[in-house]
């Protein structure tokens, strides 16, 4: 398959854009094989060099090594997430352990580590620039944390753990996606009581895509099931949908994830012990801003109790609303959203059906682009003549607003489909660098909004749009010299700051007055509706905070186990929630069997990062409010420095340079409408 394989020829599309129209699943195995072969040859040549190690012939040479594999993997794993099929999934299962073997051969190469160690030992004598010193220090640390300093038997075991974990985490994600793809709740006209038009239209669209014309389908994508739980007055159907949603990966059979969780957690605990750490959480957090599990738990528990008290108060109000509506007995988790929405509507005279006509997807995209122009001086122009992997995706050229210089390409893929994994995320087809040559980035945002005409969003959907675009800007604006430091290649508990702080500009009245316009009349959102909407945002924060924090605490607890070999995930989850005093009516944001952040993503012992970054983003946006201008030019310039820096500087140093001081947690509690814990 070498002949005609697009990975073995230069890409001649504008800006080196991937030739999606030429790339087929059968091209990936030979390209991955050759990429690994060439990559190992590159690294072996560095390790076996007869020259004394220098920064150029070792560290910079490693930055240049394995370029073919980087290109193949970036396309493969993005497509496998955005638009997969059985062939791509089979390749992922086959090559995940092979890629883990490849990485282990590099990270555990004793000659390569010896060269890096020699440079690290005399780093202060090398005359390195700041970013180079950080690259050397973190390269050395990466080798150590991968096991390069261990004895031979331990290194062999580390490699085996890495290979097996890669297989298990790939299966975990595929199991969740399989459950999401196969389950559907087929509704007739008589099952739609309570559902607003936009939910009905999205359900009709989902049914049509499945060949069920004239019917309606609710799927397990959040954009489908959450509105159904919020508005459906059919309690039996709500219970059915809720249980299917929360039981993804926990249904027995071929897609059950309990055994995978048990083995993954045990392997991670063993990995930590080999590296001299008491638990995997200790190992993972040692290379973060937080540094220790106790620091993470301190933050989460600062939030937990005030959130729990508020959630209990919310439960009492919601229970009263349900009783007044004729419901007998205690509400359950599948009742909360329905009656919470009724309370919110009664208290603020507000519901999503009233808000959504003002949040047309196209207008929110324009809002996020124009915000970036005002803050960071970049503009976006849609390109129509580049090949894309799916008709729903769009590509934009990003240019400097002052000079018209090309900055990068941005792909946006907004709608849910069965071939796309759930959730919303940013990724890169190519990262920027300014090392051997200037290479501009190709960044992608994926969302899972329900497809309908017109495409109307909730306020939360719009926040998701802004959040992921904040990640995209982190990749697009990067001025890091080396690819290993580019864009989002930062500490796990700092990577969410640029995305979460960007969300604040959506809620700024300046943004909403301009872009929240009625999709039919073109009229701006009324001031009184805007006021009610912003006031209503704090209602339900007890529920939202507990749903997130319970998941973050469970992550920390399961990765703090010293002997998890006989772990029962169901019992572990149940016992942990009981100890926390979790109200039964509040469901976790992610239960263990479908917690892809932990078991098929990069957030193991790291899910707390969203709240850690929220301390930064709430405190950071306060600087703009204190300045009296959410587009204050000087603050915008200093904030842009963070987006541009990548991992060239310590994250707290970057934050202090922007804010003038370290962050304070009070802003987070105030932003969430929670009273500070006594």
């Amino acid at each position: 398959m070498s002949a005609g394989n697009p990975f073995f020829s230069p890409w001649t599309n504008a800006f080196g854009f991937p030739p999606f129209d030429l790339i087929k699943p059968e091209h990936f195995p030979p390209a991955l094989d050759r990429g690994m072969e060439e990559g190992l040859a590159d690294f072996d040549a560095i390790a076996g060099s007869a020259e004394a190690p220098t920064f150029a012939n070792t560290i910079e040479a490693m930055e240049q090594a394995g370029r073919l594999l980087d290109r193949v993997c970036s396309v493969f794993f993005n497509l496998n997430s955005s638009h997969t099929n059985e062939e791509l999934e089979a390749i992922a299962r086959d090559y995940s352990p092979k890629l883990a073997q490849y990485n282990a051969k590099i990270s555990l190469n004793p000659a390569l580590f010896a060269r890096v160690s020699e440079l690290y030992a005399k780093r202060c004598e090398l005359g390195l620039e700041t970013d180079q010193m950080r690259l050397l220090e973190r390269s050395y640390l990466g080798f150590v944390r991968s096991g390069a300093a261990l004895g031979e038997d331990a290194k062999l075991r580390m490699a085996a753990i890495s290979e097996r974990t890669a297989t298990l985490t790939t299966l975990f994600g595929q199991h969740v996606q399989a459950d999401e793809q196969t389950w559907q709740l087929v509704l007739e006209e008589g099952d739609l009581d309570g559902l607003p038009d936009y939910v009905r239209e999205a359900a009709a669209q989902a049914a049509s895509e499945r060949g069920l014309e004239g019917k309606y389908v609710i799927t397990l994508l959040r954009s489908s099931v959450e509105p159904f739980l919020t508005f459906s007055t059919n309690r039996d159907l709500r219970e059915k949908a809720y249980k299917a949603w929360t039981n993804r990966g926990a249904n027995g059979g071929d897609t059950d994830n309990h055994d995978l969780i048990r083995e993954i957690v045990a392997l991670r605990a063993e990995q930590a012990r080999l590296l001299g750490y008491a638990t995997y959480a200790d190992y993972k957090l040692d290379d973060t801003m937080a540094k220790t599990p106790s620091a993470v738990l301190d933050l989460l528990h600062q939030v937990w109790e005030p959130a729990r008290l508020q959630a209990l108060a919310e439960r009492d109000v919601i229970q009263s609303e349900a009783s007044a509506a004729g419901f007998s007995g205690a509400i359950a988790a599948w009742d909360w959203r329905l009656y919470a929405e009724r309370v919110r509507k009664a208290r603020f005279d507000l519901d999503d059906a009233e808000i959504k006509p003002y949040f047309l997807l196209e207008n929110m995209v324009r809002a996020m682009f124009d915000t970036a122009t005002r803050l960071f001086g970049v503009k976006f122009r849609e390109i129509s003549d580049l090949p894309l992997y799916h008709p729903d995706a769009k590509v934009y050229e990003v240019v400097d607003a002052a000079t018209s210089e090309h900055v990068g390409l941005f792909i946006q893929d907004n709608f849910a489909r069965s071939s796309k994994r759930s959730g919303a995320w940013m990724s890169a087809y190519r990262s920027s660098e300014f090392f051997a040559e200037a290479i501009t980035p190709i960044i992608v945002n994926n969302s899972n909004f329900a497809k309908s005409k017109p495409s109307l969003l909730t306020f939360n959907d719009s926040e998701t749009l802004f959040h992921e675009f904040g990640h995209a800007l982190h990749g697009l604006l990067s001025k890091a010299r080396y690819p290993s430091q580019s864009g989002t290649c930062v500490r796990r508990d700092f990577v969410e700051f640029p995305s979460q702080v960007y969300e604040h500009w959506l809620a700024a009245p300046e943004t909403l007055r301009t872009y929240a316009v009625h999709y039919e009349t073109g009229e701006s959102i009324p001031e009184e509706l805007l006021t009610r909407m912003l006031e209503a945002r704090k209602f339900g924060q007890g529920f939202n905070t507990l749903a997130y924090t319970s998941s973050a605490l469970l992550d920390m607890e399961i990765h703090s186990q010293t002997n998890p070999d006989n772990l029962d995930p169901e019992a572990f989850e149940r016992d942990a929630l009981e100890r926390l005093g979790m109200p039964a009516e509040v469901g976790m944001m992610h239960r263990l069997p479908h917690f892809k952040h932990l078991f098929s993503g990069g957030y193991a012992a790291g899910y707390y990062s969203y709240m850690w970054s929220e301390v930064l983003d709430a405190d950071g946006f306060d600087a703009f409010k204190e300045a009296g201008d959410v587009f204050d030019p000087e603050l915008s310039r200093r904030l842009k420095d963070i987006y541009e820096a990548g991992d060239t500087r310590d994250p707290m140093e970057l934050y202090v340079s922007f804010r003038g001081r370290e962050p304070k947690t009070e802003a987070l509690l105030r932003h969430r409408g929670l009273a500070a814990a006594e």
Side-chain angles (χ1 to χ4, degrees), residues 290-354:
K291 298 300 291 182
T292 65
S294 61
V296 172
L297 294 173
D298 284 348
L299 171 64
L300 295 176
H301 284 299
Q302 278 185 61
V303 175
W304 177 262
E305 192 54 29
R308 194 180 74 87
L309 293 174
Q310 182 155 320
L312 292 174
E314 291 168 1
R315 181 187 64 184
D316 293 343
V317 172
I318 291 167
Q319 181 69 61
S320 296
E321 170 65 26
S323 299
F327 178 77
S328 60
I331 61 169
W334 47 90
D335 302 313
W336 185 292
R337 288 171 176 81
L338 173 70
Y339 293 108
E341 177 64 16
R342 291 185 178 181
V343 170
R344 192 168 73 112
K345 179 174 174 56
R347 183 172 293 182
F348 300 100
D349 190 22
L350 189 74
D351 62 32
D352 277 346
E354 182 181 10

Side-chain angles (χ1 to χ4, degrees), residues 441-460:
I442 301 174
I443 304 299
V444 60
N445 273 174
N446 272 277
S447 296
N448 269 282
F449 304 135
K451 192 173 185 180
S452 60
K453 293 184 178 181
S455 297
L456 302 177
L457 305 182
T458 64
F459 188 84
N460 287 342

Side-chain angles (χ1 to χ4, degrees), residues 132-442:
Q132 294 176 321
M133 178 66 81
R134 185 169 178 82
L135 179 60
L136 171 56
E137 290 176 343
R138 294 200 57 73
S139 296
Y140 173 79
L141 181 63
F143 274 97
V144 172
R145 288 176 61 81
S146 296
L150 298 175
E152 286 306 310
D153 288 346
K155 284 198 286 189
L156 288 172
R157 182 56 188 156
M158 284 286 289
I161 289 173
S162 177
E163 181 181 342
R164 179 60 178 163
T165 301
T167 296
L168 297 172
T169 54
T170 299
L171 287 172
F172 185 99
Q174 291 185 351
H175 288 176
V176 176
Q177 187 162 354
D179 280 359
E180 290 172 347
Q181 289 174 343
T182 56
W183 189 91
Q184 59 186 23
L185 181 62
V186 181
L187 306 176
E188 305 287 347
E189 193 71 35
D191 300 322
L192 307 181
D193 290 349
L195 300 183
D197 288 345
Y198 74 87
V199 180
R200 295 178 181 221
E201 290 165 4
Q205 175 74 24
S208 177
E209 291 172 356
R210 289 159 176 76
L212 298 171
E213 297 289 346
K215 298 186 184 296
Y216 304 83
V217 165
I218 302 300
T219 73
L220 294 184
L221 293 176
R222 188 176 294 273
S223 60
S224 177
V225 71
E226 275 200 332
F228 182 77
L229 294 170
T230 301
F231 295 108
S232 174
T233 56
N234 188 317
R235 190 169 193 255
D236 289 341
L237 291 178
R238 286 202 313 274
E239 180 179 2
K240 186 175 182 179
Y242 182 85
K243 288 182 174 178
W245 188 35
T246 56
N247 284 335
R248 288 168 292 160
N251 294 303
D254 293 339
T255 62
D256 192 274
N257 277 332
H258 289 103
D259 288 344
L260 299 186
I261 293 170
R262 185 179 302 109
E263 188 174 356
I264 291 169
V265 173
L267 288 170
R268 286 172 175 167
E270 183 183 359
Q271 176 189 11
R273 289 194 300 271
L274 286 169
L275 292 167
Y277 293 91
T279 70
Y280 186 78
D282 289 294
Y283 159 71
K284 191 71 177 288
L285 290 164
D286 193 37
D287 188 34
T288 64
M289 292 181 74
K291 298 300 291 182
T292 65
S294 61
V296 172
L297 294 173
D298 284 348
L299 171 64
L300 295 176
H301 284 299
Q302 278 185 61
V303 175
W304 177 262
E305 192 54 29
R308 194 180 74 87
L309 293 174
Q310 182 155 320
L312 292 174
E314 291 168 1
R315 181 187 64 184
D316 293 343
V317 172
I318 291 167
Q319 181 69 61
S320 296
E321 170 65 26
S323 299
F327 178 77
S328 60
I331 61 169
W334 47 90
D335 302 313
W336 185 292
R337 288 171 176 81
L338 173 70
Y339 293 108
E341 177 64 16
R342 291 185 178 181
V343 170
R344 192 168 73 112
K345 179 174 174 56
R347 183 172 293 182
F348 300 100
D349 190 22
L350 189 74
D351 62 32
D352 277 346
E354 182 181 10
I355 295 170
K356 286 191 74 164
Y358 294 96
F359 286 85
L360 184 68
L361 172 60
E362 291 82 356
N363 290 344
M364 293 301 102
V365 170
R366 193 163 70 251
M368 74 181 199
F369 284 163
D370 290 352
T371 297
T373 302
R374 294 185 67 181
L375 284 173
F376 304 134
V378 287
K379 289 187 174 181
F380 299 80
R381 176 181 67 87
E382 187 173 356
I383 301 175
S384 59
D385 57 354
L386 287 175
L388 283 157
Y389 54 86
H390 193 277
D392 287 345
K394 296 181 178 182
V395 62
Y396 301 84
E397 183 186 9
V398 188
V399 300
D400 185 287
T403 66
S404 297
E405 180 182 357
H406 177 77
V407 173
L409 295 176
F410 172 61
I411 302 170
Q412 191 172 45
D413 187 351
N414 283 322
F415 297 117
R417 54 180 173 266
S418 60
S419 62
K420 184 191 288 189
R421 71 174 172 89
S422 60
W425 67 97
M426 165 268 186
S427 187
Y429 280 94
R430 186 176 69 209
S431 296
S432 70
E433 60 179 279
F434 302 90
F435 169 34
E437 60 179 317
I439 296 177
T440 56
I442 301 174

